[in-house]
Amino acid sequence: MTSPRERLVETASRLFYAEGIHAVGVDRLVTEAGVTRATFYRHFPAKDDLVVEYLRAEHQKVRSGVDGAKLGRSAKDALIAIVDFVADSTCGEGFRGCPFINAAAEYPDPDHAVRRMIDEHRRWFRQELRKLAEEFGHPDPDYAAGVLVLLRDGALQSGELDDPEVVRRTLQRAIRDVMR
């Protein structure tokens, strides 16, 4: 049995991703999570606190995928596996782009807690890629990480707008080009 807090985060994750953050109100969240408004506000003083928790849960999913991609692989193979993980993400049913980019579009203030969570995720991801690029001997690991982040961002948006299999093939080819 999941706790009320877990149900709120799970419900928010599903609704925010499918419909947009600002499109989903607290009344709908509490109804679909099966909790009271008082329970909601006991766990999350404001809706934006739930948004941050939703993004933190998304970050953990990405982190688990990246950790799994690195497991037992050389740095170069890990980078390829991370790109495959991103490509796989774009081919799932109900894919609607990157939850972090989607949230950033709804929260333009760079000082807002939601944007700080997005920035934290992006810094972490870029650093992971940079460390791997440095480890496998790329001559400019900062550049390689930057290019890979741009490729990921583009793939996560293109996966919703274009043929996901074309996005996958293009992304896989691009990673090999960057790592030469």
Side-chain angles (χ1 to χ4, degrees):
M1 185 66 140
T2 58
S3 72
R5 179 180 173 75
E6 291 169 323
R7 287 197 313 273
L8 282 164
V9 173
E10 289 168 7
T11 301
S13 294
R14 178 175 47 82
L15 294 176
F16 290 166
Y17 186 71
E19 299 177 23
I21 296 165
H22 292 316
V24 178
V26 171
D27 288 337
R28 181 147 177 231
L29 288 164
V30 299
T31 298
E32 292 204 22
V35 301
T36 65
R37 285 180 76 82
T39 298
F40 176 92
Y41 288 112
R42 186 171 345 131
H43 292 286
F44 302 101
K47 180 182 167 188
D48 287 348
D49 296 310
L50 178 57
V51 175
V52 170
E53 191 60 30
Y54 151 65
L55 292 173
R56 189 170 284 120
E58 291 298 318
H59 171 75
Q60 284 307 121
K61 289 178 194 174
V62 173
R63 190 176 192 118
S64 293
V66 168
D67 288 346
K70 293 183 337 186
L71 197 61
R73 291 184 171 93
S74 70
K76 188 172 186 176
D77 288 343
L79 283 168
I80 292 169
I82 290 168
V83 167
D84 286 340
F85 165 70
V86 170
D88 290 343
S89 300
T90 68
C91 294
E93 188 174 321
F95 180 74
R96 257 190 95 273
C98 174
F100 297 96
I101 294 172
N102 293 348
E106 294 194 51
Y107 288 86
D109 179 359
D111 295 323
H112 192 282
V114 170
R115 284 301 288 265
R116 288 193 306 269
M117 181 62 218
I118 294 165
D119 292 345
E120 179 183 320
H121 168 74
R122 292 178 66 77
R123 271 191 308 277
W124 166 82
F125 188 70
R126 181 182 300 269
Q127 187 59 32
E128 288 295 307
L129 297 174
R130 189 202 176 289
K131 285 189 289 191
L132 289 168
E134 183 175 47
E135 190 177 316
F136 96 76
H138 193 282
D140 190 347
D142 288 321
Y143 170 76
V147 169
L148 294 174
V149 169
L150 285 172
L151 287 170
R152 178 192 83 151
D153 289 351
L156 290 175
Q157 292 311 109
S158 294
E160 178 185 16
L161 303 171
D162 300 325
D163 179 345
E165 286 305 320
V166 172
V167 172
R168 174 194 300 277
R169 286 191 307 272
T170 303
L171 188 58
Q172 289 170 333
R173 180 177 173 186
I175 183 69
R176 284 162 179 79
D177 289 345
V178 170
M179 294 191 314
R180 286 188 201 173

